[in-house]
Amino acid sequence: MRKLPMPTEQEVSEGPQSVSFRIANGNARQDCMLQTTFPTKVQAQKYLLANWPTIERMARDALAAGAIEDGQIKLMMS
């Protein structure tokens, strides 16, 4: 099993990492951001990919509810 990289000094000082992604909204794309508790971008991205069906469903539910903040859907890792 491959070890995950250690957080860089910058990542440590930034704190928990977020990952941006887009979902289709008709012919347009909707920007989304997932705030995680992981210290590195790599770990945050792996979490997004491993949990994509659930995260996409959460983003679509937020889109349907009109929960768009500053042009972006913001999700928190649970």
Side-chain angles (χ1 to χ4, degrees), residues 21-71:
F21 62 97
R22 290 182 173 182
I23 58 171
N25 181 15
N27 289 333
R29 298 280 182 255
Q30 178 61 55
D31 291 328
C32 303
M33 191 239 350
L34 173 67
Q35 180 67 48
T36 73
T37 57
F38 294 110
T40 69
K41 286 275 188 195
V42 171
Q43 290 172 327
Q45 290 170 336
K46 285 186 178 207
Y47 178 83
L48 174 70
L49 293 175
N51 295 285
W52 176 249
T54 302
I55 294 168
E56 181 185 19
R57 187 170 40 254
M58 289 170 53
R60 293 200 179 281
D61 290 347
L63 180 63
I68 299 173
E69 195 177 314
D70 299 326

Side-chain angles (χ1 to χ4, degrees), residues 5 10 13 32 47 55 67 71 73 76:
Q10 180 180 352
S13 68
C32 303
Y47 178 83
I55 294 168
I73 294 172
M76 297 290 293

